[in-house]
Amino acid sequence: MKNAIISFVLLVSIAANGQTLLLKPGNAAQYWYEGGIYRKKEVVGYSEFDGKSYIRLKTIYAGSPSYTYSYERIVGDSIHYIRLANGNDSLSFNFNWKVGKILRKDTIGNRTHLQFIDSIKKTQTFTFDDTIYSLKNVTIDIHTGDTSNVIPLYEYYSKLFGKLTSGLWTIMQGVRINGINYGGNFLGYQDEVIFTKDSLYVLSLIDSASCWIKNISNVNLILDSITTHNPYGYRVIFSNHLFNKYFYLYGRYPNHLLDTLKIIITPSDSVKLLIYDVDLCPICREDITNKYFNDTLTFIFRLMNEYPYQNNFYSKIQISGFGRSSDID
């Protein structure tokens, strides 16, 4: 599973009037990792096309300003459609289908590929009472009648969360609904890290700036390094009920790319960040008239679980205020 490709469709059960019960703007999102990129799909609103109501979904790519939109709609409580680029609806699944229903039948040469509903089971995908539809894929030899399995042998649909598997070695990872994570090993994204302040401000030379960094995922969060965007120097303290770590930040800490801070923030825990004694020119000795500074600090994180992620993800925070001139050569 190390090279898993994640692919899923956001779907929930809805009332007869078509209003989504679980997925509403701002209350739910899905996260996955594909090809070295973290992605997030969230409900951002509703749209009307040709008199039809659609759930509007936004897919965001970590570390990139790029994003795409998709539109889905549900008829009654069972038929799920995805709007295509040409404006037509594509039927994704009908939860009224019964065991034995053939969903796909393609014949190429002397072989017929079948996909059919093999079983329907009441279960708990995450914490909800759910219904799982198991779709089996087989190939039949037209001349002999012999049946052979294909990869993937099974695909699964959840009545609450839509398609759980698709393609080769794919797995459902997780969702967050109303601030609660479901689905086991939760994949990370920038909003898995919460800074208790939007920005930091140093009021005077004798003051400091501080905030808490919270881990809202359900796996251990590791802070690897911090990078500055301007040539200032900062005295930094990280602390919580378990430890205190002091260091000097200039450009990057740790300075070597292979080094790491290795500050672990456990699920639902946090660490306090304190910055003081801002040096406006760490590599020079001169009296700087304007003591005001403005900078951006980039925090590089990763989530600790069994998946060996190729890319870390980051969060940024602005810091500004007043510092001092350097007193060393």
Side-chain angles (χ1 to χ4, degrees):
M1 292 291 187
K2 289 186 177 180
N3 296 320
I5 299 175
I6 310 307
S7 174
F8 37 34
V9 177
L10 225 56
L11 176 66
V12 294
S13 62
I14 61 171
N17 61 7
Q19 175 64 44
T20 300
L21 295 178
L22 292 178
L23 294 186
K24 299 177 182 178
N27 89 321
Q30 285 186 313
Y31 298 75
W32 72 100
Y33 173 83
E34 179 179 352
I37 301 174
Y38 290 97
R39 301 184 184 184
K40 168 188 175 184
K41 181 180 280 190
E42 63 181 3
V43 180
V44 294
Y46 304 98
S47 297
E48 291 281 338
F49 296 104
D50 302 323
K52 302 173 184 177
S53 297
Y54 292 83
I55 301 171
R56 190 179 190 213
L57 303 169
K58 183 178 182 180
T59 300
I60 307 169
Y61 305 87
S64 169
S66 301
Y67 55 86
T68 57
Y69 288 102
S70 59
Y71 301 88
E72 302 176 13
R73 71 184 183 93
I74 303 172
V75 176
D77 64 351
S78 59
I79 306 176
H80 172 223
Y81 292 98
I82 299 175
R83 182 178 170 84
L84 303 178
N86 62 9
N88 295 327
D89 281 342
S90 174
L91 174 62
S92 179
F93 199 77
N94 187 334
F95 290 98
N96 286 327
W97 285 333
K98 306 298 182 183
V99 171
K101 170 68 177 178
I102 297 176
L103 309 180
R104 177 184 170 189
K105 183 178 182 180
D106 300 319
T107 300
I108 301 177
N110 65 339
R111 292 186 175 275
T112 297
H113 174 75
L114 286 180
Q115 182 183 68
F116 59 93
I117 298 179
D118 184 60
S119 65
I120 302 174
K121 297 180 180 179
K122 290 285 187 179
T123 184
Q124 292 185 344
T125 310
F126 299 114
T127 61
F128 305 98
D129 290 331
D130 199 1
T131 302
I132 299 298
Y133 294 73
S134 298
L135 282 56
K136 190 172 183 179
N137 296 294
V138 298
T139 297
I140 302 174
D141 189 301
I142 295 175
H143 300 302
T144 65
D146 293 337
T147 300
S148 57
N149 297 328
V150 299
I151 298 177
L153 179 58
Y154 285 99
E155 297 179 23
Y156 302 94
Y157 266 86
S158 156
K159 197 166 185 179
L160 290 178
F161 293 97
K163 197 169 188 178
L164 303 184
T165 57
S166 176
L168 181 64
W169 307 128
T170 59
I171 50 178
M172 180 71 172
Q173 287 298 341
V175 298
R176 184 191 301 137
I177 298 176
N178 293 327
I180 301 174
N181 297 338
Y182 302 98
N185 298 304
F186 202 71
L187 286 178
Y189 199 79
Q190 284 99 323
D191 56 7
E192 291 295 88
V193 180
I194 293 179
F195 289 83
T196 57
K197 292 183 179 179
D198 294 331
S199 61
L200 301 173
Y201 187 78
V202 181
L203 186 61
S204 69
L205 297 179
I206 61 173
D207 288 315
S208 62
S210 66
C211 71
W212 288 86
I213 303 175
K214 296 183 177 181
N215 174 14
I216 63 170
S217 75
N218 61 1
V219 297
N220 287 330
L221 177 72
I222 303 175
L223 173 57
D224 279 336
S225 62
I226 307 177
T227 302
T228 68
H229 289 242
N230 286 298
Y232 305 129
Y234 306 92
R235 303 286 179 186
V236 179
I237 303 175
F238 275 106
S239 63
N240 64 10
H241 59 286
L242 297 175
F243 68 91
N244 289 283
K245 184 174 181 62
Y246 301 79
F247 60 91
Y248 184 74
L249 172 62
Y250 170 69
R252 175 189 172 95
Y253 186 88
N255 298 108
H256 197 283
L257 292 176
L258 297 180
D259 291 335
T260 175
L261 272 172
K262 292 183 180 177
I263 293 179
I264 298 176
I265 311 175
T266 56
S268 303
D269 202 356
S270 58
V271 297
K272 185 177 183 180
L273 165 67
L274 177 68
I275 293 177
Y276 65 101
D277 191 22
V278 181
D279 191 343
L280 301 182
C281 192
I283 59 173
C284 66
R285 183 174 185 176
E286 60 182 83
D287 185 17
I288 299 176
T289 303
N290 182 12
K291 299 297 194 300
Y292 183 81
F293 74 94
N294 192 348
D295 198 3
T296 299
L297 304 181
T298 300
F299 296 76
I300 310 298
F301 297 95
R302 58 190 169 93
L303 289 167
M304 181 189 295
N305 61 15
E306 70 266 31
Y307 293 99
Y309 300 138
Q310 301 172 22
N311 293 345
N312 297 335
F313 64 98
Y314 62 84
S315 292
K316 296 183 178 182
I317 190 170
Q318 294 293 123
I319 181 170
S320 60
F322 292 88
R324 63 172 176 81
S325 299
S326 178
D327 55 2
I328 62 172
D329 288 328

